[in-house]
Amino acid sequence: MLFYMGTVSFDVVPVIKHRPAVGSVYRSPQLYAKLRPEMDADNSSTDAILTIWKHPKGAEWRPCLSNSSEGLPESNGYVYVEANGGLNQQRTSICNAVAVAGYLNATLVIPNFHFHSIWRDPSKFTDIYDEDYFVSTLKNDVRIVNTIPEYIMERFDHNMSNVYNFRIKAWSPIGYYKDAVLPKLLEEKVIRISPFANRLSFDAPPTVQRLRCLANYQALRFSNPVLTMGETLVARMKERSANSSGKYVSVHLRFEEDMVAFSCCIFDGGGKEKEDMDAARERGWKGKFTKRGRVIRPGAIRLNGKCPLTPLEVGLMLRGMGFDKSTFIFLASGKIYDAERNMAPLLEMFPLLQTKEMLASQEELAPFQNYSSRMAAIDYTVCLHSEVFVTTQGGNFPHFLLGHRRYLYGGHSQTIKPDKRKLALLFDNPNIGYINYPIALGFF
């Protein structure tokens, strides 16, 4: 039985407003607007780069690699691989190729770099790496040659496409190579594996892992032009940060147009941003994101920590950790989306920020300018030698750097790898103030 008093109008329907979940909407600009006056007024002299970390007590980590002094048995044949992707995906392929060739007692042909439609870099192995050093460093562990002998290629009309090609599943165990690849190698004396990115499992026996590490940390040295340019910029960064004992922070920022588009996150660019991202997704991935039935939830993506940090958010995070405006920062990145607008707040917070384009003249960078992998190799070198490395989005670049820096510095490399799930909630907190901001970040 229904009891009521007065009259009820069924013409008026109450409007229920949906309140987005905390952290699901990009509100970092509003937070920055609130905190900026206090940031600008902060004259504290504490410099986090000098005080935030100290080496832990105890023994240093030491690399356990050593070159073999034994001779190599007769080769079972030649392995030719095509390394696809960008600089560090190709680096993965090279290290895996060395490990597989050594495991199969095969001769490795210098990997061929596959031209990628997104990276669009025609560089060859010798353009990026020191080939002679690579071969000589591994000479007692894996045979490496530049070309396959004529007498073998004659059987295939000197055409690599006629050579048997293995289409190997990603993350295949090393045992697969012994069971499936080795018999064909012994029969044909040359096999091809294309594509070869991520075609070897991380879970491999110590002998295989040793070859991977030997290739990555000792044999792969950048070519002389790339290495010289990178080391020149390292010297300039240390010179400019002399007041901090030559210590600087490097940040790997992934906020290029293709990264923003692929993330499917929504920022503060309005209609123009939506048009740009829709066009970039269609241009780069041809209908992948518009398939029938596909549902994209930007809010859920942000809450799950999958959105790339914006330049503004990187600045907020570092200021919250105690790095002040006198900190020298090296920014490693491609072309930032809507750079003038998006980079402005980061430069306000860290006016001494540098990029390779700011550290070097146009004439110095000209030989590398149109080659994305060579430019990335220069960034890699400057980040490798920084006091602190900040990764913002994951991927091959920071993963390689984390391992390489630990290898070089006895396990004591300072790295900031933010929890972006927590940051999404923090940056959407309207009650936070600058005084309690570092504590809220959870780093102190």
Side-chain angles (χ1 to χ4, degrees), residues 26 28-29 32 253-257 259-261 265-270 272-274 276-277 302 308-316 331 333-350 353:
Y26 179 67
S28 300
Y32 176 53
L253 180 62
R254 293 305 315 273
F255 206 71
E256 304 91 344
E257 184 177 74
M259 174 56 70
V260 177
C265 298
I266 296 176
F267 297 93
D268 62 337
K272 175 68 164 55
E273 177 187 307
K274 184 180 186 309
D276 291 344
M277 295 305 107
R302 181 170 299 281
L309 291 182
T310 65
L312 183 152
E313 289 174 323
V314 171
L316 287 173
L331 190 71
S333 73
K335 184 179 179 182
I336 300 298
Y337 170 66
D338 197 2
E340 185 175 352
R341 182 176 68 87
N342 284 316
M343 283 296 295
L346 179 58
L347 288 167
E348 289 167 356
M349 286 183 270
F350 293 98
L353 180 144

Side-chain angles (χ1 to χ4, degrees), residues 6-21:
T7 60
V8 175
S9 172
F10 292 98
D11 295 327
V12 179
V13 179
V15 177
I16 301 175
K17 291 186 177 181
H18 171 68
R19 184 185 178 93

Side-chain angles (χ1 to χ4, degrees), residues 195-210:
F196 193 64
N198 304 324
R199 292 308 188 266
L200 179 61
S201 170
F202 286 129
D203 185 15
T207 52
V208 174
Q209 299 289 44
R210 173 186 163 276

Side-chain angles (χ1 to χ4, degrees), residues 264-370:
C264 294
C265 298
I266 296 176
F267 297 93
D268 62 337
K272 175 68 164 55
E273 177 187 307
K274 184 180 186 309
E275 289 178 13
D276 291 344
M277 295 305 107
D278 287 345
R281 281 190 281 268
E282 188 58 30
R283 188 168 58 247
W285 294 278
K286 305 291 182 185
K288 175 184 176 71
F289 295 94
T290 54
K291 288 182 179 178
R292 187 174 180 179
R294 177 158 188 171
V295 178
I296 296 173
R297 297 184 175 89
I301 296 171
R302 181 170 299 281
L303 282 170
N304 200 30
K306 299 299 184 183
C307 288
L309 291 182
T310 65
L312 183 152
E313 289 174 323
V314 171
L316 287 173
M317 179 184 73
L318 291 176
R319 288 300 296 264
M321 290 187 70
F323 295 98
D324 62 24
K325 60 186 177 183
S326 69
T327 303
F328 272 88
I329 292 178
F330 176 78
L331 190 71
S333 73
K335 184 179 179 182
I336 300 298
Y337 170 66
D338 197 2
E340 185 175 352
R341 182 176 68 87
N342 284 316
M343 283 296 295
L346 179 58
L347 288 167
E348 289 167 356
M349 286 183 270
F350 293 98
L352 301 180
L353 180 144
Q354 305 286 308
T355 65
K356 55 185 174 296
E357 290 82 5
M358 297 165 73
L359 289 168
S361 67
Q362 290 184 346
E363 292 75 18
E364 288 176 309
L365 287 179
F368 317 99
Q369 198 71 56
N370 296 320

Side-chain angles (χ1 to χ4, degrees), residues 103-320:
Y103 182 75
L104 298 179
N105 186 34
T107 300
L108 176 66
V109 182
I110 289 290
N112 180 54
F113 288 175
H114 179 71
F115 183 81
H116 197 279
S117 59
I118 292 179
W119 291 95
R120 304 189 67 80
D121 187 338
S123 296
K124 304 300 181 187
F125 187 98
T126 53
D127 296 319
I128 299 173
Y129 298 106
D130 186 332
E131 183 176 318
D132 292 338
Y133 185 81
F134 179 71
V135 173
S136 64
T137 302
L138 295 169
K139 65 181 180 182
N140 292 326
D141 295 275
V142 181
R143 288 186 180 87
I144 303 174
V145 297
N146 191 272
T147 57
I148 300 170
E150 287 284 320
Y151 74 90
I152 292 181
M153 289 307 298
E154 283 178 1
R155 292 167 38 212
F156 304 98
D157 294 328
H158 300 280
N159 188 345
M160 279 305 300
S161 62
N162 293 332
V163 175
Y164 185 87
N165 183 42
F166 277 92
R167 304 288 292 187
I168 296 176
K169 292 182 179 179
W171 316 116
S172 290
I174 193 66
Y176 173 84
Y177 289 87
K178 181 179 180 181
D179 297 337
V181 178
L182 182 58
K184 194 69 176 179
L185 176 65
L186 291 170
E187 176 188 342
E188 297 284 336
K189 293 302 178 185
V190 58
I191 55 106
R192 180 165 60 104
I193 308 176
S194 176
F196 193 64
N198 304 324
R199 292 308 188 266
L200 179 61
S201 170
F202 286 129
D203 185 15
T207 52
V208 174
Q209 299 289 44
R210 173 186 163 276
L211 288 174
R212 272 174 159 166
C213 291
L214 187 63
N216 189 33
Y217 299 133
Q218 291 191 13
L220 280 176
R221 185 172 73 182
F222 289 129
S223 64
N224 189 58
V226 171
L227 187 61
T228 300
M229 187 74 260
E231 290 179 342
T232 297
L233 300 194
V234 170
R236 290 174 186 173
M237 280 300 299
K238 289 185 175 182
E239 181 182 350
R240 297 187 184 192
S241 56
N243 289 339
S244 300
S245 302
K247 296 177 180 180
Y248 61 92
V249 176
S250 62
V251 176
H252 182 229
L253 180 62
R254 293 305 315 273
F255 206 71
E256 304 91 344
E257 184 177 74
D258 63 323
M259 174 56 70
V260 177
F262 189 81
S263 73
C264 294
C265 298
I266 296 176
F267 297 93
D268 62 337
K272 175 68 164 55
E273 177 187 307
K274 184 180 186 309
E275 289 178 13
D276 291 344
M277 295 305 107
D278 287 345
R281 281 190 281 268
E282 188 58 30
R283 188 168 58 247
W285 294 278
K286 305 291 182 185
K288 175 184 176 71
F289 295 94
T290 54
K291 288 182 179 178
R292 187 174 180 179
R294 177 158 188 171
V295 178
I296 296 173
R297 297 184 175 89
I301 296 171
R302 181 170 299 281
L303 282 170
N304 200 30
K306 299 299 184 183
C307 288
L309 291 182
T310 65
L312 183 152
E313 289 174 323
V314 171
L316 287 173
M317 179 184 73
L318 291 176
R319 288 300 296 264

Side-chain angles (χ1 to χ4, degrees), residues 249-254 309 314 317-318 383 388-399 401-402 414-420 423:
V249 176
S250 62
V251 176
H252 182 229
L253 180 62
R254 293 305 315 273
L309 291 182
V314 171
M317 179 184 73
L318 291 176
C383 292
V388 181
F389 172 62
V390 183
T391 171
T392 64
Q393 184 58 19
N396 290 311
F397 187 101
H399 289 160
L401 265 171
L402 262 63
Q414 294 95 332
T415 299
I416 298 172
K417 187 178 180 182
D419 185 334
K420 292 194 289 182
L423 285 180

